[in-house]
Amino acid sequence: MKVLVVGTGAREHAICDALAKDVELYAYMSKNNPGIAKLAVDYKKGDEGEVEAVAEYAKEKGIEMAVIGPESPLGKGIVNALEAVGVPCVGPSQESARIETDKSFMRKLFADYEIDGSLTYRVFDNYEDISAFLDTYEKDVVVKPVGLTGGKGVKIVGDHLIDNQDAKAYAKEVMDNVMGGFAQVIIEEKVVGEEFTIQAFCDGEHLVPMPAAQDHPHAFEGDQGLITGGMGSYSDKNGLLPFMSQKDYDDAVEIMKATLKAIAKETTPYKGILYGQFMLSKDGPKLIEYNARFGDPEAMNVLPLLKTPMIDVCKAIVDGTLDEVEFEDKASVCKYIVPDGYPDTPHAGEIIEVDEEAIEDIGAKVFYAAVSKEEAGIQLSGSRALGITAQGKTIAEAEKLAEEACGFVKGSVYHRRDVGTKDLIQKRIDHMNDILNN
């Protein structure tokens, strides 16, 4: 079967890796990702957001199914364009992808359908109303652009912003710069707790959740520095996380199932991956936001654990016959290798050395992200370079392997050594216990 994967990063490399042994793999990517290029029988370099060009390539190659990796093409209607030339997709339509691309749509959906786990929020399109609201709102807030910002537009009072007066200035900056494509901003209540992610396969009617994972968005160790696209993540062997209960997980999944039904009523049946980012609070899981695709790095935690063939899952999504999906009962740890100084790095364009064979020999995997294969070797961009992922019977075992594997990447690079470590996980557990007991 000819399957096209659209996208350039480590998430897409992980998708290709899960599919490659069972399909004839094609890729459409903006850079020459060395991992994807190695797996694909054919690929084309091009702008993934030029959806008609992607559809033309799919038609030319006789593609029988497409899997869409990144959010931007989904927001531009790539699924609509591919389906128009007869190519079924694992990915939501442009209308359904609004669950990610338009945060105000997502929050309104929760309100209209009385879905549990929502937050207090307001959508603003002028500074005067923002100022009046924040002058009287007594709780700390979170400021978000309405549209897509690659996970880097959110700022939180007490973390990136000093107080609600500081939040005013940032909200004005978001609107003045039309950040995310909308001259609007969302202001939400700040919820205290531990963040976690549940990704789920969806066929429009049925939803099958994957193991929970926890991302580490701060750039530096000890959860310091700017919020990035994600510096690494871990999952545990029982599909839960060390600080959460089965009820916490199940409650979050019920929120996602209710959302799936609401999307189908408001737009089109949602087919693809639904990513729920939750905050586990004293009052249970609260939905922070949805993504309309796999997480990056969380895809690298769950896809290597998939026991059910990925192509079978994809076919079931397209056909509307999604049922049980099996995963290995193991823990996983992913650590992102990034250029020194990331996210403000002077090392774009430099060459790094990746001993892929040595990494695989110790039982880990490398998934290439924002790099390109050039004559001189693997070239850095200004963004995350590659994800190193390992599995084990415990998180500690997986972390040890992943950390060892990171040593086989040489150059002007950095990674968070604390991702998946015992001390950091205990910090999460203690934090959650404090919240529940106070």
Side-chain angles (χ1 to χ4, degrees):
M1 186 177 191
K2 292 184 174 183
V3 176
L4 172 67
V5 174
V6 177
T8 306
R11 167 183 50 220
E12 289 76 31
H13 185 184
I15 293 169
C16 289
D17 186 68
L19 285 167
K21 63 181 181 296
D22 298 313
V23 305
E24 191 175 326
L25 187 70
Y26 292 74
Y28 200 102
M29 49 187 176
S30 58
K31 291 184 179 180
N32 185 359
N33 181 305
I36 296 174
K38 190 188 297 185
L39 294 168
V41 298
D42 187 78
Y43 66 88
K44 183 170 182 177
K45 285 176 64 178
D47 184 346
E48 300 137 7
E50 293 180 357
V51 299
E52 298 300 337
V54 179
E56 185 60 36
Y57 175 74
K59 187 177 177 182
E60 174 192 323
K61 296 297 179 181
I63 298 299
E64 297 165 86
M65 181 190 296
V67 182
I68 314 304
E71 62 274 21
S72 182
L74 290 169
K76 293 177 179 178
I78 192 169
V79 168
N80 308 59
L82 285 163
E83 288 181 346
V85 296
V87 179
C89 295
V90 176
S93 68
Q94 185 177 31
E95 296 78 14
S96 295
R98 288 178 67 200
I99 199 68
E100 175 174 8
T101 61
D102 183 351
K103 293 181 181 67
S104 60
F105 167 78
M106 182 270 286
R107 285 294 173 207
K108 188 172 185 300
L109 200 71
F110 267 61
D112 290 349
Y113 288 86
E114 298 180 343
I115 300 171
D116 288 339
S118 191
L119 305 176
T120 301
Y121 78 100
R122 291 278 300 274
V123 182
F124 295 96
D125 60 9
N126 69 85
Y127 180 73
E128 290 73 21
D129 287 348
I130 291 170
S131 183
F133 173 72
L134 287 176
D135 280 343
T136 58
Y137 193 72
E138 296 180 353
K139 298 179 181 179
D140 288 347
V141 298
V142 178
V143 181
K144 295 181 177 182
V146 168
L148 298 175
T149 56
K152 299 170 186 176
V154 177
K155 290 196 176 183
I156 304 166
V157 170
D159 196 344
H160 322 92
L161 304 170
I162 298 168
D163 53 24
N164 284 1
Q165 295 306 305
D166 202 16
K168 278 188 194 180
Y170 179 61
K172 186 175 188 300
E173 180 186 332
V174 169
M175 288 194 302
D176 288 349
N177 292 293
V178 195
M179 199 180 295
F182 294 82
Q184 293 176 306
V185 66
I186 289 184
I187 297 181
E188 296 176 349
E189 64 172 308
K190 176 183 175 181
V191 180
V192 178
E194 281 295 326
E195 287 194 37
F196 68 93
T197 297
I198 296 178
Q199 301 165 104
F201 299 112
C202 305
D203 71 358
E205 182 179 357
H206 309 101
L207 181 147
V208 177
M210 306 179 216
Q214 187 176 45
D215 183 24
H216 297 67
H218 290 87
F220 306 125
E221 291 173 14
D223 300 325
Q224 301 298 308
L226 296 173
I227 294 287
T228 73
M231 292 294 293
S233 48
Y234 67 90
S235 67
D236 208 352
K237 64 179 180 180
N238 56 9
L240 304 178
L241 291 167
F243 55 82
M244 72 189 305
S245 68
Q246 186 66 53
K247 184 180 185 304
D248 297 329
Y249 179 91
D250 292 344
D251 287 349
V253 170
E254 287 304 312
I255 291 168
M256 297 177 76
K257 287 180 177 178
T259 304
L260 189 69
K261 290 178 181 177
I263 294 172
K265 289 178 181 177
E266 286 293 317
T267 61
T268 62
Y270 188 101
K271 295 194 171 194
I273 312 302
L274 184 62
Y275 167 117
Q277 182 183 357
F278 293 91
M279 183 75 78
L280 183 56
S281 73
K282 190 169 187 175
D283 300 317
K286 300 290 184 181
L287 194 282
I288 302 300
E289 64 182 19
Y290 279 120
N291 291 332
R293 36 67 185 182
F294 274 112
D296 186 348
E298 296 97 331
M300 292 178 274
N301 292 105
V302 298
L303 285 174
L305 298 176
L306 195 58
K307 286 175 72 175
T308 305
M310 179 64 167
I311 186 57
D312 291 352
V313 179
C314 292
K315 286 178 181 177
I317 289 170
V318 167
D319 295 340
T321 58
L322 191 62
D323 198 1
E324 187 177 352
V325 177
E326 289 188 275
F327 292 86
E328 298 280 356
D329 190 25
K330 291 181 178 179
S332 70
V333 171
C334 174
K335 301 196 180 199
Y336 245 120
I337 305 286
V338 303
D340 280 336
Y342 174 78
D344 299 315
T345 176
H347 298 287
E350 292 186 16
I351 299 297
I352 60 171
E353 296 177 23
V354 183
D355 193 338
E356 195 172 333
E357 187 176 328
I359 291 170
E360 292 182 352
D361 282 348
I362 65 169
K365 296 194 76 139
V366 55
F367 293 111
Y368 290 97
V371 297
S372 59
K373 177 74 171 174
E374 306 296 340
E375 279 189 29
I378 306 298
Q379 187 179 72
L380 292 172
S381 70
S383 192
R384 297 175 298 174
L386 51 94
I388 301 289
T389 305
Q391 295 80 43
K393 294 177 182 177
T394 64
I395 296 172
E397 185 178 296
E399 189 278 329
K400 184 179 178 183
L401 269 179
E403 185 61 32
E404 183 182 351
C406 288
F408 293 108
V409 181
K410 307 295 184 185
S412 300
V413 292
Y414 160 81
H415 72 279
R416 275 189 61 171
R417 294 167 298 172
D418 62 347
V419 172
T421 57
K422 180 181 177 181
D423 287 349
L424 194 59
I425 290 172
Q426 189 60 50
K427 178 182 171 184
R428 305 282 194 258
I429 295 169
D430 293 344
H431 182 223
M432 201 67 239
N433 286 337
D434 286 344
I435 290 168
L436 294 175
N437 294 326
N438 290 319

